[in-house]
Amino acid sequence: MSLLPSKSRLAHIVFESDDRASKTFDLSVLLLILGSLAVVILDYEPSLNKKYHYEFYVLEWIFTGLFTLEYLLRIWLSKRKLGYFFSFYGMVDLLAIIPTYLSLFLINTQFLVVIRALRLLRVVRIFKLSRYLREAETLKTALRNSRTKIQLFVGTVLTIVLITGTLMFVIEGPESGYTSIGVSMYWAIVTLTTVGYGDITPITPLGKFLSSVIMLLGYAIIAVPTGIVSSELTAVQGTIQSSGKKVCPTCKSRHLDDDANYCKYCGEAL
Amino acid sequence: MSLLPSKSRLAHIVFESDDRASKTFDLSVLLLILGSLAVVILDYEPSLNKKYHYEFYVLEWIFTGLFTLEYLLRIWLSKRKLGYFFSFYGMVDLLAIIPTYLSLFLINTQFLVVIRALRLLRVVRIFKLSRYLREAETLKTALRNSRTKIQLFVGTVLTIVLITGTLMFVIEGPESGYTSIGVSMYWAIVTLTTVGYGDITPITPLGKFLSSVIMLLGYAIIAVPTGIVSSELTAVQGTIQSSGKKVCPTCKSRHLDDDANYCKYCGEAL
Amino acid sequence: MSLLPSKSRLAHIVFESDDRASKTFDLSVLLLILGSLAVVILDYEPSLNKKYHYEFYVLEWIFTGLFTLEYLLRIWLSKRKLGYFFSFYGMVDLLAIIPTYLSLFLINTQFLVVIRALRLLRVVRIFKLSRYLREAETLKTALRNSRTKIQLFVGTVLTIVLITGTLMFVIEGPESGYTSIGVSMYWAIVTLTTVGYGDITPITPLGKFLSSVIMLLGYAIIAVPTGIVSSELTAVQGTIQSSGKKVCPTCKSRHLDDDANYCKYCGEAL
Amino acid sequence: MSLLPSKSRLAHIVFESDDRASKTFDLSVLLLILGSLAVVILDYEPSLNKKYHYEFYVLEWIFTGLFTLEYLLRIWLSKRKLGYFFSFYGMVDLLAIIPTYLSLFLINTQFLVVIRALRLLRVVRIFKLSRYLREAETLKTALRNSRTKIQLFVGTVLTIVLITGTLMFVIEGPESGYTSIGVSMYWAIVTLTTVGYGDITPITPLGKFLSSVIMLLGYAIIAVPTGIVSSELTAVQGTIQSSGKKVCPTCKSRHLDDDANYCKYCGEAL
């Protein structure tokens, strides 16, 4: 049927996302991934599993069939088939369909299909030319700039956790639930991050006093990473503003004119 | 009686809030809404309900009567009655009185009157010309600017929740309370947001270790949205300051004179 | 004895804090307040109360005696005795000694002496000329500037609490511990602020889902007040820096010379 | 054997870290410390202790032997042996090996070897010329600048804790678990820092209401330290940027040329 798109047109639809057909394709894949994730989550819900197990089973095979088709299509359309196969996305696409086939031979491997969540990463491509990548770029630059500060911070936190964990293990002991240094360190992390499950809590007055100090410390030092990221984000945006010039988010060229809509160095939309 | 205000004067009092009478009207409505909300909350308190149910019942009908009067007044005074009826505020005003009448026929619908809380939105109008709207504008601009960053962030968080939820479901299993992937995801959200109820907690060493990692992760990434909003607010205010010029919060015109009290483009008070 | 300081010298020691004697006096009062607070806290500890009740009793009367002496001294030295008596600090000084005398007649009023904590406010005076007041000024300016934003924020939070509290009361009901709208609102605040006691937790799937949404919301909106305060503090400091001029923290005069140590308008130390 | 490095070469390897051999030495020490900490933590795990106690015992003595060798080497190579012995790092190095020898005579002192975590501080030296120290410098400057603000903040928090703790002790009383003012203050800290264990929770309506107020307060004031650190970090970085000049992180000299890689005043790498 000449109504079928040509192979090069199909490749455009599958690999690009700059016109209607290709955007529709990407959006359909996005919805299929979300739908398939919803089915797995609901299928593991004991009450729903009893009632609708058969429906979920059928749906899951429909999703897997469609993803298998898409996978074969991608291999067929790819110019460097082995390159795609061994690429990160190629492996993710394969891992996203294998668990369902595995579940024919093995019991209880169905939960592995949550790997499909990783496929969502690719879908960001739909918004390729949009503001998403630019913002992600700003975030990434700010996080990259604050990397060493955050490493120092994590090191400090882990040292505090080790020392307070050991102290609490000695002070409270196994009777209060602090059965080992490892468990005490778990408690210290639960406390320092202000999660505070309450599955292990200090009982002795000295333990309560030390806990209070750790909590106030945790309360104070939570300010540090937030401050780091805030100031980096302010700095990254400040660079853009204080230079009085636009900065290209893709190639980082500065000195663009204020009224430019595209970077004059790399042509990316600003 | 000629002492009664004319219809146009009444419309001014009800719809505007720029002189004494109209401000008093708005303030009375505000207090009636708060009083009526208090009565509903207290009426649902079992101990108070026993003692004062009759008093609450009478008060509720007084409030409903006054709100009904106000609603009819608004319809009567409105130039485009149907336009008001189908507007957002028109529907909220109607929904705020219906539950009490419904409760004559149906049992236990009384809690629906908390819809009245939405009526508070209108009361912001009292402060129309004041600094509130301007500040809300700054907040809204900052939040709008950081919208895409926050969407990216929520997407990342939900992916982390899905993957760690599934991992914990596999590691801990139903014996520890992780009865389904859904429940595990609920636990992951409780942990990542540092709420930490403690209704479900990891028991196995591996589960405790993975939880610790998630907590530290949550502790680190809470820095990101805070950093985003901080830097945006700084940027929005920086724009105002660095330009050396006032910026109109309503029409966003810059280049206003420093000593201007009103925007010269849209006339809004600065 | 001529060795006793004159009345005017005594007044200087008690009311000022700019030389050695007056600073020593203020520091002694500070230590007495802290010591007396420690005694009250320890006295209410059941295990310590049994053993050392007599010692605590004696110490408490010594502290009260010294504070009474100080109070009488302040009245005697004060030029406007009634003015001092009815001033805020005069009332606090009086309330700080009354509970001990009251405890002669009434049982269990001893805890009221924690009012003494308020006396610490006065002690900030010791650091009057130091950097403390200046920093407090910066903090206060930033908080004052962000007042309206924070009011808007608290209003939004309370509306969310009312609506989610009512929803959870309807969804979960008394069987899950949500016994009234008031208790549900208490739960909503516990959840939204990420405290998460776990005394009341959702049990139904729908309740867990709604809770998850509220937690993510709380996680997101905690960013807002932090962002507000951060950006205001940045702005306040930015004003100081960007003007290239010092700003007097007391009278807010700008255009001070860079090498000035005292404000040339109000004479305050910078 | 002439293949053995000379004493001066050995001293270089042990005390410096600017060439391959010395960096390898530092890295080995780092790995030995981490390994030894892991062995102690695992040894205190009851289930592992039963199975592998002998293996852990042997490993612990191997680590202690190596650290003892290193300690003796440092003393032998040190020019001022007494100076090293009484220095902070000298004491830490000694305290890091003593507990194992002590455990020959005393029971259950093995946990003291977590003191070895302090030895990690020295290892930062490996990254001496790298970006770590510079970033740590920025963090330290920001924290030092915000010291007084944070002191004021901690003072305010402790006063709130004392007063709300006492109030809750009076309102709730020992029946709800608030057995003393001290325990109530512990509860207030658990609540204000949003840790929320849930081991002590308010039961009376008045207690729940006061708790809600404290939680919202805690939620609001957590913004303050974060804001302080954020704005200080922004200011420290702003100084660097707004001056249009690099600032040396070591000697704080400004007015460095933009393309400088080393500070022209102190020679430190930028």
Side-chain angles (χ1 to χ4, degrees):
Chain A
M1 287 183 285
S2 65
L3 282 173
L4 264 179
S6 68
K7 186 175 171 181
S8 72
R9 177 72 188 125
L10 252 180
H12 184 93
I13 290 173
V14 172
F15 295 124
E16 305 295 322
S17 63
D18 51 4
D19 59 5
R20 198 164 200 178
S22 51
K23 280 193 179 172
T24 307
F25 178 80
D26 281 350
L27 208 65
S28 315
V29 171
L30 170 64
L31 291 177
L32 283 177
I33 295 170
L34 292 179
S36 127
L37 289 174
V39 163
V40 180
I41 292 171
L42 294 177
D43 190 23
Y44 272 92
E45 207 65 45
S47 57
L48 294 174
N49 184 286
K50 256 185 219 160
K51 275 201 222 159
Y52 304 109
H53 184 66
Y54 181 72
E55 285 84 345
F56 289 146
Y57 185 80
V58 169
L59 272 174
E60 178 50 33
W61 275 105
I62 291 173
F63 283 124
T64 305
L66 289 171
F67 289 140
T68 310
L69 265 179
E70 186 213 345
Y71 182 67
L72 296 175
L73 197 65
R74 279 179 194 273
I75 286 193
W76 178 56
L77 292 172
S78 196
K79 276 168 193 162
R80 293 176 302 151
K81 291 181 207 318
L82 270 177
Y84 167 69
F85 184 82
F86 286 112
S87 72
F88 172 71
Y89 283 126
M91 296 313 290
V92 167
D93 289 350
L94 185 59
L95 286 170
I97 51 176
I98 282 183
T100 316
Y101 294 109
L102 262 185
S103 68
L104 290 177
F105 312 106
L106 297 163
I107 295 165
N108 220 5
T109 58
Q110 194 55 27
F111 65 84
L112 289 171
V113 300
V114 294
I115 288 167
R116 282 174 192 167
L118 291 180
R119 294 203 66 203
L120 290 172
L121 286 176
R122 192 213 296 269
V123 182
V124 173
R125 208 190 39 176
I126 306 182
F127 312 105
K128 200 175 197 170
L129 295 171
S130 84
R131 59 197 192 284
Y132 282 87
L133 274 190
R134 240 184 311 151
E135 299 285 5
E137 202 53 48
T138 313
L139 267 182
K140 253 160 70 183
T141 307
L143 288 177
R144 199 179 324 117
N145 290 354
S146 48
R147 200 183 44 216
T148 42
K149 281 207 207 74
I150 285 174
Q151 283 172 12
L152 273 172
F153 178 74
V154 168
T156 312
V157 165
L158 287 182
T159 309
I160 293 175
V161 163
L162 176 64
I163 289 175
T164 58
T166 310
L167 276 175
M168 288 300 286
F169 170 67
V170 175
I171 292 172
E172 290 280 338
E175 308 81 47
S176 311
Y178 297 77
T179 50
S180 70
I181 292 185
V183 165
S184 284
M185 287 172 69
Y186 159 75
W187 170 87
I189 291 175
V190 167
T191 300
L192 207 59
T193 56
T194 79
V195 170
Y197 284 138
D199 51 350
I200 307 169
T201 50
I203 288 171
T204 65
L206 186 57
K208 281 184 175 163
F209 179 76
L210 185 61
S211 302
S212 301
V213 173
I214 297 169
M215 280 173 229
L216 288 174
L217 201 67
Y219 195 56
I221 63 178
I222 203 172
V224 175
T226 311
I228 292 168
V229 177
S230 295
S231 83
E232 284 300 338
L233 276 170
T234 306
V236 169
Q237 290 189 322
T239 313
I240 301 170
Q241 292 193 345
S242 73
S243 67
K245 296 285 188 181
K246 284 191 175 175
V247 175
C248 173
T250 308
C251 71
K252 308 276 179 285
S253 303
R254 296 188 191 187
H255 309 305
L256 304 178
D257 292 332
D258 273 348
D259 52 354
N261 291 321
Y262 292 89
C263 172
K264 63 182 171 183
Y265 299 104
C266 72
E268 190 63 76
L270 296 174
Chain B
M1 286 183 288
S2 65
L3 283 172
L4 265 179
S6 68
K7 187 175 172 182
S8 73
R9 176 75 188 125
L10 253 180
H12 184 94
I13 291 173
V14 172
F15 295 123
E16 305 295 321
S17 62
D18 52 3
D19 59 5
R20 200 164 197 178
S22 52
K23 280 191 179 173
T24 308
F25 177 80
D26 281 350
L27 210 65
S28 316
V29 171
L30 170 64
L31 291 177
L32 284 177
I33 295 170
L34 292 179
S36 128
L37 289 173
V39 164
V40 180
I41 292 171
L42 294 175
D43 190 23
Y44 272 93
E45 207 66 45
S47 58
L48 294 175
N49 183 285
K50 256 185 217 158
K51 275 202 223 160
Y52 304 110
H53 185 66
Y54 181 71
E55 285 85 345
F56 289 146
Y57 185 80
V58 170
L59 272 174
E60 179 49 33
W61 274 105
I62 291 174
F63 284 123
T64 305
L66 288 171
F67 289 140
T68 310
L69 265 179
E70 186 212 347
Y71 182 66
L72 295 176
L73 197 65
R74 279 178 194 275
I75 286 193
W76 178 54
L77 293 171
S78 195
K79 275 168 193 162
R80 292 175 303 150
K81 291 182 206 316
L82 270 179
Y84 167 70
F85 183 82
F86 286 113
S87 71
F88 172 71
Y89 283 127
M91 296 313 290
V92 166
D93 289 349
L94 185 60
L95 286 171
I97 50 175
I98 283 185
T100 317
Y101 294 109
L102 262 185
S103 68
L104 290 177
F105 312 106
L106 296 163
I107 295 165
N108 220 2
T109 58
Q110 194 53 29
F111 65 84
L112 288 171
V113 301
V114 294
I115 288 167
R116 284 174 191 167
L118 291 180
R119 294 203 66 203
L120 291 173
L121 285 175
R122 192 213 295 268
V123 182
V124 174
R125 208 191 38 176
I126 306 182
F127 311 105
K128 200 175 197 171
L129 296 170
S130 84
R131 59 198 192 284
Y132 281 87
L133 273 191
R134 240 183 312 151
E135 300 285 4
E137 202 54 47
T138 313
L139 268 182
K140 254 161 68 183
T141 307
L143 289 177
R144 198 177 327 116
N145 290 355
S146 48
R147 199 183 45 217
T148 41
K149 282 208 206 74
I150 286 174
Q151 283 172 11
L152 272 171
F153 179 74
V154 169
T156 312
V157 165
L158 288 182
T159 308
I160 293 174
V161 163
L162 177 64
I163 289 175
T164 58
T166 309
L167 275 174
M168 288 301 285
F169 170 68
V170 174
I171 293 172
E172 290 280 338
E175 309 82 46
S176 311
Y178 298 77
T179 49
S180 69
I181 291 184
V183 166
S184 284
M185 286 172 69
Y186 159 76
W187 169 87
I189 290 175
V190 167
T191 301
L192 207 59
T193 56
T194 79
V195 170
Y197 284 138
D199 51 348
I200 308 169
T201 50
I203 288 171
T204 65
L206 185 57
K208 281 183 175 164
F209 178 75
L210 185 60
S211 301
S212 301
V213 172
I214 297 168
M215 281 173 229
L216 288 173
L217 201 67
Y219 195 55
I221 62 178
I222 202 173
V224 175
T226 310
I228 293 168
V229 176
S230 296
S231 83
E232 284 299 339
L233 276 170
T234 306
V236 169
Q237 289 190 323
T239 313
I240 300 170
Q241 292 194 344
S242 73
S243 67
K245 297 283 188 182
K246 284 192 176 174
V247 175
C248 173
T250 309
C251 71
K252 307 275 178 289
S253 303
R254 297 189 192 186
H255 309 305
L256 304 179
D257 292 331
D258 275 347
D259 52 356
N261 291 320
Y262 292 88
C263 173
K264 62 181 171 185
Y265 298 105
C266 71
E268 190 62 76
L270 296 174
Chain C
M1 287 183 288
S2 65
L3 281 173
L4 263 179
S6 68
K7 186 175 171 181
S8 73
R9 177 76 187 123
L10 252 180
H12 184 95
I13 290 173
V14 172
F15 295 124
E16 305 295 321
S17 63
D18 53 3
D19 59 6
R20 201 167 198 174
S22 51
K23 280 192 180 172
T24 309
F25 178 80
D26 282 351
L27 210 64
S28 315
V29 171
L30 170 64
L31 292 177
L32 284 177
I33 295 169
L34 292 178
S36 128
L37 289 173
V39 164
V40 180
I41 293 170
L42 294 176
D43 190 23
Y44 272 92
E45 207 66 46
S47 58
L48 294 174
N49 184 286
K50 257 185 218 159
K51 276 202 223 159
Y52 303 110
H53 185 66
Y54 181 72
E55 286 83 345
F56 288 148
Y57 184 81
V58 170
L59 273 173
E60 179 49 33
W61 274 106
I62 291 174
F63 283 124
T64 305
L66 289 171
F67 288 141
T68 310
L69 266 179
E70 186 212 347
Y71 182 65
L72 295 175
L73 196 65
R74 279 178 194 275
I75 286 193
W76 178 54
L77 292 172
S78 195
K79 277 170 195 160
R80 293 177 302 153
K81 292 183 208 314
L82 270 177
Y84 167 70
F85 183 83
F86 286 112
S87 72
F88 173 69
Y89 282 127
M91 296 313 291
V92 166
D93 290 349
L94 185 60
L95 286 171
I97 50 175
I98 282 184
T100 317
Y101 294 109
L102 262 185
S103 68
L104 289 177
F105 312 106
L106 297 163
I107 294 165
N108 220 5
T109 58
Q110 194 53 29
F111 65 83
L112 288 170
V113 301
V114 295
I115 287 166
R116 283 174 192 168
L118 291 180
R119 294 203 65 202
L120 291 172
L121 285 176
R122 191 213 296 268
V123 182
V124 173
R125 208 190 39 175
I126 307 183
F127 312 105
K128 199 175 198 172
L129 296 171
S130 84
R131 58 198 191 286
Y132 281 87
L133 274 191
R134 239 183 313 151
E135 298 287 4
E137 202 52 47
T138 313
L139 267 182
K140 255 161 67 184
T141 307
L143 288 176
R144 198 176 329 116
N145 289 356
S146 47
R147 200 183 44 218
T148 40
K149 281 207 207 74
I150 286 175
Q151 282 172 10
L152 272 171
F153 179 73
V154 168
T156 312
V157 165
L158 288 182
T159 309
I160 293 174
V161 162
L162 177 64
I163 289 174
T164 58
T166 309
L167 276 175
M168 288 300 286
F169 170 69
V170 175
I171 292 171
E172 290 281 337
E175 309 82 47
S176 310
Y178 298 78
T179 50
S180 69
I181 292 184
V183 166
S184 283
M185 285 171 70
Y186 159 77
W187 169 87
I189 290 175
V190 167
T191 301
L192 207 60
T193 56
T194 78
V195 170
Y197 283 137
D199 51 349
I200 307 169
T201 51
I203 288 171
T204 64
L206 186 56
K208 281 184 174 162
F209 179 75
L210 185 60
S211 303
S212 301
V213 173
I214 297 168
M215 281 174 229
L216 288 174
L217 202 66
Y219 195 56
I221 62 178
I222 202 173
V224 176
T226 311
I228 292 168
V229 177
S230 296
S231 83
E232 285 299 338
L233 276 170
T234 306
V236 169
Q237 290 190 322
T239 313
I240 300 172
Q241 292 193 345
S242 73
S243 67
K245 296 284 189 181
K246 284 192 175 174
V247 175
C248 174
T250 309
C251 72
K252 309 276 178 286
S253 303
R254 298 188 191 186
H255 309 305
L256 304 178
D257 292 330
D258 274 347
D259 52 356
N261 291 321
Y262 292 89
C263 174
K264 62 181 172 183
Y265 298 105
C266 72
E268 191 62 76
L270 296 174
Chain D
M1 287 183 287
S2 64
L3 282 172
L4 264 179
S6 69
K7 187 175 170 183
S8 71
R9 177 74 187 125
L10 252 181
H12 183 94
I13 290 173
V14 172
F15 294 124
E16 305 295 321
S17 63
D18 52 3
D19 59 5
R20 199 165 198 176
S22 52
K23 279 192 180 172
T24 308
F25 178 80
D26 281 351
L27 209 65
S28 315
V29 171
L30 170 64
L31 292 177
L32 283 177
I33 295 170
L34 292 179
S36 128
L37 289 174
V39 163
V40 180
I41 293 171
L42 294 176
D43 190 22
Y44 272 92
E45 208 65 47
S47 57
L48 294 174
N49 184 285
K50 255 184 218 160
K51 275 201 221 158
Y52 303 110
H53 184 67
Y54 180 72
E55 286 84 344
F56 288 146
Y57 184 80
V58 170
L59 272 174
E60 179 49 33
W61 275 105
I62 292 173
F63 283 124
T64 305
L66 289 171
F67 289 140
T68 310
L69 265 179
E70 187 212 346
Y71 183 66
L72 296 175
L73 197 65
R74 279 178 194 275
I75 286 193
W76 177 55
L77 292 171
S78 195
K79 277 170 193 161
R80 294 175 301 151
K81 292 183 208 315
L82 271 178
Y84 167 69
F85 184 82
F86 287 112
S87 71
F88 172 71
Y89 282 127
M91 296 315 290
V92 166
D93 290 350
L94 186 60
L95 286 171
I97 51 176
I98 282 184
T100 316
Y101 294 109
L102 262 185
S103 68
L104 290 176
F105 312 106
L106 297 163
I107 295 164
N108 221 5
T109 58
Q110 195 53 29
F111 65 83
L112 288 171
V113 301
V114 293
I115 288 168
R116 282 173 192 168
L118 291 180
R119 295 202 65 203
L120 290 173
L121 285 176
R122 190 212 295 270
V123 182
V124 174
R125 207 190 40 176
I126 307 181
F127 312 104
K128 200 174 197 171
L129 296 171
S130 84
R131 58 196 192 287
Y132 281 87
L133 275 190
R134 240 184 313 151
E135 298 286 4
E137 202 53 47
T138 312
L139 267 181
K140 254 160 66 183
T141 307
L143 288 177
R144 199 177 328 116
N145 289 355
S146 49
R147 201 183 44 218
T148 41
K149 281 207 207 75
I150 285 174
Q151 282 173 11
L152 272 172
F153 178 74
V154 169
T156 312
V157 165
L158 287 181
T159 308
I160 293 174
V161 163
L162 177 64
I163 289 175
T164 57
T166 309
L167 276 175
M168 288 301 285
F169 170 68
V170 175
I171 292 171
E172 290 280 339
E175 309 81 47
S176 312
Y178 297 77
T179 50
S180 70
I181 292 184
V183 166
S184 283
M185 286 172 68
Y186 159 76
W187 170 86
I189 290 174
V190 168
T191 301
L192 207 60
T193 56
T194 78
V195 170
Y197 284 137
D199 51 350
I200 307 169
T201 50
I203 288 170
T204 65
L206 186 57
K208 281 183 174 163
F209 179 75
L210 185 61
S211 303
S212 301
V213 173
I214 296 168
M215 281 173 230
L216 288 174
L217 201 67
Y219 196 57
I221 62 178
I222 204 172
V224 176
T226 310
I228 292 168
V229 177
S230 295
S231 83
E232 285 299 336
L233 275 169
T234 306
V236 169
Q237 289 189 323
T239 313
I240 301 171
Q241 292 193 346
S242 72
S243 67
K245 296 286 189 180
K246 284 191 176 175
V247 174
C248 173
T250 309
C251 71
K252 309 277 179 286
S253 301
R254 297 187 191 186
H255 309 305
L256 305 178
D257 292 331
D258 274 347
D259 52 355
N261 291 321
Y262 293 89
C263 174
K264 63 180 169 183
Y265 299 104
C266 72
E268 191 63 75
L270 295 175

